[in-house]
Every structure is written in structure tokens, then in C-alpha cells.
Amino acid sequence: MNIRTAKVTDAKEIHELIEFYANNGKMLHRSLNTIYETIQEFVIVERDCKIVACGALHVSLENLAEIKSLAVNKDFVGRGIGRNIVEKLQLNAKNLGVNKIFVLSFSPIFFIKLGFVIIPKEMLPYKIWTECVNCHLFPNCGETSLLFSM
Ligand SMILES: CC(C)(COP(=O)(O)OP(=O)(O)OC[C@H]1O[C@@H](n2cnc3c(N)ncnc32)[C@H](O)[C@@H]1OP(=O)(O)O)[C@@H](O)C(=O)NCCC(=O)NCCS
């Protein structure tokens, strides 16, 4: 398996992976267009030229970034791939000079195991809410807010 930054040619496979979980209510949808526009934010794990996991780091503020669209193909869960992606995104944040990372997730235990702590959503900056209010699940999405500080 190989972990690397994404290329535009990966966008359709990334989209399929996210859609699988989004259609099961486990994460939020991302349009293919949004994936193209944010392709530099993505890292992927590939095996035999097929993408088996993805995740993105989106810088929100001077010292705050968000992990988005973390997904591991259902046939590959439980092998440490999710952890590898988060660690790569943490390294990317560090290299960008950002040492706080938050995530809104339906799988909080996974992130707690990686050192994130649960925080009240109200602690997150106002601009985060602009995405939330445009989401069809707002205001009762059931996602947990978590923060990691390096
Ligand atoms: C959540 C997800 C990313 C985990 O990926 P993974 O590759 O299976 O996770 P890992 O194998 O790296 O697991 C790391 C640790 O977290 C635990 N873990 C993994 N998924 C978990 C979950 N859903 N709930 C609780 N613990 C979980 C593992 O048991 C492991 O614990 P250990 O270190 O004590 O052995 C993956 O299941 C997934 O894509 N889920 C659907 C989408 C999703 O929920 N994304 C989250 C962000 S919105």
C-alpha cells in the first residue's frame, strides 16, 4: 500500500468512496466538483492502483485546520489505514504551521483513540457554521466535534 497526495485523476474514485458512506448516512456528501476544487487537500492510500482510503485537510483559520472526508473502503477497515491517513494529515498541518486540528465526525471513538478530545461545537469559529447551516442535516446532524492540539 502507498500513501500519497491526490491527483486530479483520483477525484472520481475519491468521490465514489465518499458517496458509499454518505449514502449510508455515515459522512457528508461532497460533490465531484468540490473534490476537484480541493484536490490539493486530499491524501489517498492506494493498493494495486486502486484507491482504498482518502482524507482531506482544510485550513480554516491562522492556526486551525479541519479533517474532512476521511473514508476507508469497507473491505480494508481495521488495518490501521484510517490512522495512517490522520497521521499524514497531522504532518501536513504541522508543515503548514497549523497545530490545531478539528473534525466533525459520526465516529468519535476512532478520533479519541488518535488523541482527539471532544469539544462543544460552539467552541468552533463562526465561519465553520456557515457550512453547517447549509447542510440538510442542520441543526441535528449528530456529529461530534473533536479537537487535536500538537
Ligand atoms: C472510521 C474509519 C475512518 C476508521 O478507519 P480504519 O482504517 O478502520 O481505522 P484504524 O484501523 O486505523 O483504527 C484505529 C483505531 O480506531 C479504532 N476504530 C476504527 N474505527 C472505529 C469506529 N468506527 N469506532 C470506534 N473505534 C474505531 C480501531 O479499532 C483502532 O483501535 P486500536 O488502535 O485500539 O486498535 C473507517 O471505518 C471509515 O471510513 N468509516 C466510515 C466513514 C467515517 O466514519 N469517517 C470518519 C470521519 S467523518
Side-chain angles (χ1 to χ4, degrees):
M1 290 207 209
N2 178 35
I3 186 163
R4 62 167 172 81
T5 52
K7 303 174 185 175
V8 284
T9 47
D10 301 322
K12 285 180 184 156
E13 271 190 84
I14 291 172
H15 185 241
E16 279 170 26
L17 191 52
I18 294 170
E19 282 303 284
F20 173 81
Y21 287 114
N23 289 333
N24 289 297
K26 293 201 171 155
M27 58 195 298
L28 301 181
H29 291 276
R30 297 272 167 227
S31 69
L32 182 57
N33 186 50
T34 300
I35 294 168
Y36 278 121
E37 287 179 350
T38 57
I39 197 71
Q40 298 101 316
E41 300 181 356
F42 276 88
V43 299
I44 61 100
V45 170
E46 64 184 350
R47 195 176 101 152
D48 300 333
C49 298
K50 184 178 162 31
I51 293 174
V52 297
C54 66
L57 183 83
H58 176 78
V59 177
S60 305
L61 293 173
E62 183 185 358
N63 192 20
L64 185 69
E66 177 179 4
I67 287 182
K68 290 185 163 193
S69 304
L70 176 66
V72 177
N73 180 302
K74 67 173 176 38
D75 296 330
F76 290 85
V77 296
R79 303 186 193 186
I81 297 175
R83 180 191 294 272
N84 289 344
I85 295 241
V86 171
E87 287 173 352
K88 173 76 171 133
L89 295 174
Q90 287 168 325
L91 182 63
N92 289 354
K94 194 176 168 194
N95 289 338
L96 285 164
V98 174
N99 60 20
K100 286 187 194 299
I101 303 173
F102 78 95
V103 66
L104 302 169
S105 178
F106 295 115
S107 305
I109 308 290
F110 166 76
F111 286 100
I112 288 168
K113 287 194 168 185
L114 300 187
F116 285 71
V117 294
I118 294 177
I119 55 163
K121 204 171 189 177
E122 294 71 29
M123 267 180 67
L124 295 173
Y126 178 74
K127 66 178 286 195
I128 309 305
W129 291 82
T130 56
E131 188 169 356
C132 287
V133 294
N134 289 320
C135 174
H136 72 286
L137 297 175
F138 183 80
N140 298 310
C141 69
E143 283 190 317
T144 301
S145 317
L146 301 107
L147 184 70
F148 181 86
S149 303
M150 286 185 259

